[in-house]
Amino acid sequence: MADYSHLLDDTERGFLDMLSRFAAEEIAPHAAKTDESATFVHSQIAALAATGMMGANLPEAWGGADISAHALFEGVATIAGACASTVSALTAHYLATDSLLIGGDDALRARLLPATAEGRLLGAFGLTEPNAGSDPGDMRTRAQREGDGWRIRGRKCFISNGGVADFIVVYAVTDPAAAHRGISAFVLEKGTAGLVPGRVEQTMGLRGGHVWELDIDCHVPDANRVGAEGTGFRTAMKVLDNGRVEVAAMCVGIARAALTAARDWAKTRIIGGEPLANRQGIRWMLADMETDLAAAELLGHEAARQRHAGQRFTAAASRAKLFASEAAGRIADQAIQIHGGYGYTRDFPLERHARDLRIMRIYEGSSEIQRNIISGLMLA
């Protein structure tokens, strides 16, 4: 596994060293129980607040850690390797705060962002609907002017943190005739009348990072609008570029954990009087896994480089998310294979890694959507 410390300054290296110890001591020991009980990661998120990770995506001006995109990538990977449920709740929080950072005005940012960076507020990102997943253009949630604010009606689904968040950035159609340019974003705060979380989805993986359906029939003041009317789609697409780099980081972190487990098992598991690692077939499997991981890391850090430089990084984010999500799935599967029957048991974390990774090829734009984005930009 490659060392990317040369991309970081001394403060960032110190931050990541601290975070690595914290993840190993405070997050990883609870991962199996969290998965088994499907308990939301309240305590892990509360603990993360003390590390600065809740605001790691934000600049210092809004209370954030003000670290580089490279350091953020490695920080997300570190938490992911310890507990994927925890990192899923964390990165969903980033989607909400990025929405405010990218699309909001200073008044809204000042009201919410410092508290989110301190971990006093948890955010959620309300884009997906039952009939509008990969294409927000099919969105049916409507926002219409009513008095001094807006009446928002609709339903969202698969909203990470949705039932426990202190606020949700909800995207809704304000001008049906304007297609994508008719989408706006609004902050719905916890306790708002008419914001009703439905059931928690019973998911295959990320069982401690819950996703909810949300029924919405709310009035919100105009001050809760995120940016100008009609700018929601543009904000959401920029947020998803960030989010796709973070999904790549999540995949890299889980893949690192799976590969480390497979390498260590191969070196210590004795079959026929010798370690598995002495067998060419196992060595080739490990070599392929390491190559997949190295490529995912490189694509992820290239997207992070472009993000940090302020360049348009849509294609780089899609490449990183596409490759890392599919490569990590291969790595986890091969790690199970190397462990044999033991890898299929819950005595080892590999089956959990495989389940947690499966969603990475679907959410924040499926692999097929990433291929459409990449090819569309190629052919433009």
Side-chain angles (χ1 to χ4, degrees):
M1 282 159 272
D3 180 6
Y4 288 90
S5 60
H6 64 285
L7 299 173
L8 313 172
D9 63 28
D10 289 343
T11 299
E12 290 169 340
R13 282 191 285 269
F15 172 75
L16 290 170
D17 285 345
M18 173 277 296
L19 191 64
S20 181
R21 292 191 298 272
F22 174 86
E25 295 168 6
E26 304 295 335
I27 302 295
H30 307 290
K33 185 176 180 181
T34 294
D35 176 72
E36 184 178 353
S37 65
T39 302
F40 186 77
V41 289
H42 287 291
S43 61
Q44 293 92 323
I45 290 296
L48 273 176
T51 70
M53 272 302 285
M54 297 301 289
N57 62 317
L58 298 176
E60 188 176 10
W62 300 112
D66 206 27
I67 58 176
S68 69
H70 293 294
L72 179 61
F73 186 94
E74 289 297 323
V76 169
T78 296
I79 301 301
C83 177
S85 289
T86 299
V87 84
S88 72
L90 174 66
T91 54
H93 174 75
Y94 289 167
L95 294 176
T97 56
D98 276 348
S99 295
L100 301 180
L101 183 66
I102 292 168
D105 59 27
D106 282 353
L108 198 56
R109 293 170 184 154
R111 178 154 66 91
L112 295 172
L113 288 183
T116 66
E118 293 173 7
R120 292 187 286 113
L121 296 178
L122 182 67
F125 179 75
L127 185 68
T128 302
E129 299 184 4
N131 295 300
S134 296
D135 185 1
D138 292 330
M139 187 178 296
R140 296 183 183 179
T141 297
R142 288 289 309 277
Q144 296 175 295
R145 288 193 177 274
E146 182 180 273
D148 61 351
W150 298 82
R151 172 62 58 177
I152 304 174
R153 293 186 176 93
R155 173 173 291 180
K156 299 292 181 178
C157 64
F158 299 119
I159 306 304
S160 297
N161 302 348
V164 296
D166 296 290
F167 70 94
I168 306 165
V169 179
V170 168
Y171 291 80
V173 177
T174 48
D175 183 356
H180 294 87
R181 293 182 178 85
I183 294 173
S184 304
F186 302 86
V187 170
L188 273 60
E189 295 171 82
K190 189 174 185 178
T192 298
L195 174 59
V196 182
R199 69 185 185 95
V200 176
E201 297 288 353
Q202 302 301 300
T203 55
M204 173 182 173
L206 303 181
R207 286 166 48 79
H210 295 171
V211 296
W212 277 265
E213 290 183 345
L214 299 174
D215 285 317
I216 302 168
D217 188 351
C218 302
H219 180 273
V220 298
D222 194 56
N224 281 31
R225 180 163 41 85
V226 181
E229 186 178 342
T231 61
F233 181 79
R234 184 170 69 245
T235 295
M237 294 304 99
K238 290 180 178 179
V239 169
L240 288 174
D241 284 345
N242 289 351
R244 285 164 184 158
V245 182
E246 286 145 20
V247 171
M250 293 162 67
C251 293
V252 163
I254 300 169
R256 285 173 178 169
L259 179 54
T260 296
R263 180 199 62 196
D264 293 348
W265 180 262
K267 290 167 69 175
T268 58
R269 175 67 168 163
I270 305 299
I271 300 292
E274 61 179 359
L276 277 178
N278 286 1
R279 303 187 179 206
Q280 186 181 63
I282 298 296
R283 285 174 171 260
W284 284 10
M285 290 167 71
L286 290 170
D288 286 344
M289 294 159 73
E290 168 70 11
T291 301
D292 262 349
L293 177 58
E297 290 172 333
L298 285 167
L299 285 168
H301 275 289
E302 171 56 19
R305 183 194 67 76
Q306 294 182 27
R307 175 180 178 178
H308 188 70
Q311 301 172 3
R312 185 185 182 193
F313 62 101
T314 297
S318 287
R319 286 192 294 265
K321 196 266 185 186
L322 170 63
F323 187 86
S325 63
E326 299 203 346
R330 293 191 295 269
I331 290 167
D333 186 71
Q334 290 288 68
I336 291 172
Q337 194 72 12
I338 288 171
H339 279 73
Y342 290 103
Y344 195 64
T345 70
R346 294 197 173 185
D347 294 329
F348 291 76
L350 294 171
E351 62 86 29
R352 184 177 79 246
H353 292 333
R355 285 187 288 106
D356 288 341
L357 281 167
R358 186 59 187 86
I359 189 61
M360 305 297 174
R361 285 178 269 167
I362 298 172
Y363 74 177
E364 294 191 36
S366 66
S367 290
E368 293 71 27
I369 292 297
Q370 304 315 313
R371 291 182 173 100
N372 284 345
I373 292 169
I374 294 163
S375 61
L377 291 169
M378 288 173 62
L379 298 170

